[in-house]
Amino acid sequence: MKIACLLTAIAGASAFAPASQPTRASSQLAADLSGIRGVGPETAGKIFDPLDLAQWAPIEHLRKAELANGRSAMLATVGWLFPKLVGTFDGPVDTTDPVLAFSKADPQWWAQFIIFCGTIEAVKYRAEVDGKSYTGEVDKEAAIDWAKQWGKMDAAKREDIAMKELKNGRLAMIGIASFAANYFIPGSVPGLSEGF
């Protein structure tokens, strides 16, 4: 019954979908992808895009989304591991269970967190309008550089740092997805104990 309802909903929704969207020419797409950072041995020397998303969205937008999600995943991975390995601070959140911690956090904290994230996004947007980069573009000034080190590095060092951030973000996205999968489906990730 559930499957029939789902298929009916999908069929109904497809009536409102646009007929077809033009895709970029494959030669233009290949040219856009040829100089993009992130190609290496872990991607078999080519761009990792198994769903061909690059034909439907601008490459620059996809890279920005990948970096933003990678940065969030790095923070989420630390947030998942820290209470389990170090413990918790005094306060309303007294559990090492990362999912239960969400409901124990004060709503005021969530409001502050959302305002903080909005502020960071506003700073990134303003910097982009001013011609700065938050995606590690070697030839531009960094949007956020609290340590004031980006301008002191040469182009090779900047490229190295940007590549490390990209790859660490990719690893963190896989890591946090593995933690969540193992939490909700115990034993689904080899090497992780139940409840980790």
Side-chain angles (χ1 to χ4, degrees), residues 159-183:
E159 182 64 32
D160 183 54
I161 295 290
M163 183 68 87
K164 286 177 181 177
E165 179 187 30
L166 179 65
K167 290 185 177 188
N168 285 330
R170 289 174 176 172
L171 181 62
M173 287 188 275
I174 293 169
I176 196 66
S178 299
F179 292 157
N182 193 61
Y183 182 87

Side-chain angles (χ1 to χ4, degrees), residues 16 21 48 58 77 102 182:
F16 300 102
Q21 296 181 357
F48 181 74
T77 302
F102 275 99
N182 193 61

Side-chain angles (χ1 to χ4, degrees), residues 11 26 30 34 38 40 52 66 68 72 109 128 134 150 164 167-168 170-171 190:
S26 60
S34 65
D52 281 334
E66 181 180 23
S72 297
W109 183 89
E128 188 172 26
Y134 63 90
W150 189 254
K164 286 177 181 177
K167 290 185 177 188
N168 285 330
R170 289 174 176 172
L171 181 62

Side-chain angles (χ1 to χ4, degrees), residues 13-29:
S14 67
F16 300 102
S20 68
Q21 296 181 357
T23 61
R24 286 186 275 167
S26 60
S27 61
Q28 174 63 35
L29 184 60

Side-chain angles (χ1 to χ4, degrees), residues 24-111:
R24 286 186 275 167
S26 60
S27 61
Q28 174 63 35
L29 184 60
D32 288 348
L33 292 174
S34 65
I36 197 165
R37 179 183 303 129
V39 175
E42 67 277 356
T43 60
K46 58 184 180 179
I47 295 295
F48 181 74
D49 187 14
L51 301 177
D52 281 334
L53 296 176
Q55 67 178 331
W56 304 106
I59 303 296
E60 185 177 325
H61 172 74
L62 294 174
R63 175 47 48 95
K64 289 177 183 177
E66 181 180 23
L67 281 169
N69 288 317
R71 290 168 180 162
S72 297
M74 286 187 269
L75 289 172
T77 302
V78 170
W80 191 287
L81 293 174
F82 187 85
K84 292 182 175 295
L85 301 176
V86 177
T88 61
F89 300 110
D90 292 334
V93 180
D94 57 358
T95 179
T96 60
D97 185 314
V99 176
L100 292 178
F102 275 99
S103 62
K104 290 194 170 198
D106 188 353
Q108 180 182 0
W109 183 89
W110 285 110

